[in-house]
Amino acid sequence: MHSVNAGDDDRTARARIRDAAIACFAARGVDGTSLKAIAEEAEVSQGLILHHFGTKKGLRTACDEYAVATIQESKTSVMGAGPQVDPLAAMRADSDGPPVMEYLARTLADGSPEVAALVDGIVEAADAALAEGVKSGMLKPIDQPREVAIVLTLWSLGLLALHRHAERLLGVDIIGPPEERARYVRIAMEALGRGLFTDEAYQHARDALAAPDEERRS
Amino acid sequence: MHSVNAGDDDRTARARIRDAAIACFAARGVDGTSLKAIAEEAEVSQGLILHHFGTKKGLRTACDEYAVATIQESKTSVMGAGPQVDPLAAMRADSDGPPVMEYLARTLADGSPEVAALVDGIVEAADAALAEGVKSGMLKPIDQPREVAIVLTLWSLGLLALHRHAERLLGVDIIGPPEERARYVRIAMEALGRGLFTDEAYQHARDALAAPDEERRS
DNA sequence: AATATAACTGATCACATAGTCAGTCTCAAG
DNA sequence: CTTGAGACTGACTATGTGATCAGTTATATT
């Protein structure tokens, strides 16, 4: 009865609580989720949650750490295959585990230090991937490579945060499996790959933007 | 004492409550804000909030409507100046009013119908702007103009939702005044304007993506 | 088997919350 | 002046919250 396992679930109670919390937080937000709801979802008592995590904030932190670790893991495994243009492509949550991507989408905006560090790491990876792409001749030389890496990363993650809008407008669940995201990648490729401006319009815009006060180059 | 106005503030109490709610919601989120906190901020009793708005949800809806109306207003006024590439540039909150942009950034992700409608409207505007740009020869022809308009809009709005990350990584407050955002525009221009891929790499990637279903392992 | 340690529960606490209500005050119209 | 309606308040309620705690059960160690 009071065993470590409950039902046919072989996860430890601690893991079950964490996963339940991630699911609840992803679905209704951290503030919108009570410990009671998590306890019911994990089929444990509410007291056990606090026994394991101390406070709700502690649970939140544990969720952040787990999500970050999960994503880092899949990121490095995907990274081995070669440089990736789309930072999002490097992030793929296991379909069987807790909904890490949804959780991240929810918590990206209300900045915890753990998530901030994750974002920083993704930027670094994107920066490296861009440099690699330039070196291999796949990408054009970039004037502000780091800044471009940052913006590309935040565009991707921002789209993740707004994935419900993307689903409504585009009919694409960018959190879903790779084949579901293929349409998005094609659209992104059209915008980012060849560029939108005509050559002369780009030169003109560039000159107009370059004019201001100070110049920041690497 | 019980007059319509309080202190030297000539807004109606109803407007003061709404503005205070927007400020609190923007700062700490809707769920993280109590009616008591709003009442204190607006210098009214908590009962008056419910007298005017019925429920907290009603207040939230009123905030959404006000924010949407404010942004729509500035959007159309900016639109008169000509087609805009960056959807964000069309949105500028008055510096004196409540922090509408911060509020929008907070609420973009937890989709209310009002905000969803606003997003749809911005997409329409971006779509029209793209078409205009193509027509005037500023932009290259676009294969999937509507989809590109959607993605560009969501990238911009997603960046807005993640503006704290942008500030940390880029040192740019994209909510701030236009001159503050100039650096971001230059970066976005480098990525979107001329494109990142070399010509042959783009052709190659494009061909690879055009194939209906393929397992893409780079 | 004995014992210590950790897992776990359910009752309970103090507190914050959204919402209700009775009644006061202001002001304008009759 | 009277009256009625809406603005407004402060006390109140019912409920939900995170957290505490005493006590119980399981697991591991010896």
Side-chain angles (χ1 to χ4, degrees), chain A residues 28 31-32 81-85 106 108-111 115-116 119-120 123 137-144 146-148 150-152 154-159 161-162 165-166 168-170 183-198 201-202 205 209-210 214-216, chain B residues 28 31-32 85 106 108-111 115-116 119-120 123 130 137-144 146-148 150-152 154-159 161-162 164-166 168-170 182-199 201-202 205-206 209-210 216 218:
Chain A
R28 293 175 296 276
D31 286 333
Q84 203 66 40
V85 192
R106 273 264 185 196
L108 261 174
D110 45 83
V115 172
V119 173
D120 292 357
V123 167
M138 192 172 83
L139 304 181
K140 303 176 186 172
I142 303 173
D143 278 349
Q144 319 175 79
R146 173 150 191 93
E147 284 77 6
V148 168
I150 291 171
V151 167
L152 288 182
L154 293 183
W155 278 348
S156 283
L157 295 179
L159 187 66
L162 304 188
H165 291 286
R168 170 169 49 86
L169 288 162
L170 222 47
R183 277 191 60 212
Y184 161 66
V185 174
R186 240 177 64 220
I187 299 164
M189 180 62 72
E190 184 168 10
L192 285 176
R194 57 160 198 178
L196 296 174
F197 277 55
T198 55
Y202 173 68
L209 286 171
E214 69 170 348
E215 181 91 355
R216 211 172 283 241
Chain B
R28 291 176 298 276
D31 286 333
V85 193
R106 273 265 185 193
L108 262 174
D110 43 80
V115 172
V119 173
D120 292 357
V123 166
L130 281 186
M138 192 171 83
L139 304 181
K140 302 177 187 172
I142 302 172
D143 278 349
Q144 319 174 80
R146 173 150 191 92
E147 284 77 8
V148 168
I150 292 171
V151 168
L152 287 183
L154 292 183
W155 279 347
S156 282
L157 295 179
L159 187 66
L162 305 188
R164 293 192 182 279
H165 290 285
R168 170 169 49 87
L169 288 162
L170 221 47
R183 278 191 59 212
Y184 161 66
V185 174
R186 240 175 66 215
I187 300 163
M189 178 63 72
E190 182 167 14
L192 285 176
R194 56 158 200 180
L196 296 173
F197 279 55
T198 55
D199 288 346
Y202 174 68
R206 189 188 153 83
L209 286 170
R216 144 159 201 228
S218 21

Side-chain angles (χ1 to χ4, degrees), chain B residues 16-26 33 38 41-42 59 63 103:
Chain B
R16 242 180 316 128
I17 291 169
R18 191 217 324 112
D19 291 357
I22 290 176
C24 291
F25 288 163
T33 301
I38 298 170
E41 178 80 14
L59 174 59
C63 291
Y103 175 80

Side-chain angles (χ1 to χ4, degrees), chain A residues 84-122:
Chain A
Q84 203 66 40
V85 192
D86 178 21
L88 249 184
M91 300 159 48
R92 187 183 56 216
D94 304 333
S95 54
D96 54 331
V100 173
M101 294 299 282
E102 283 92 335
Y103 175 79
L104 183 65
R106 273 264 185 196
T107 51
L108 261 174
D110 45 83
S112 75
E114 289 81 11
V115 172
L118 172 65
V119 173
D120 292 357
I122 298 175

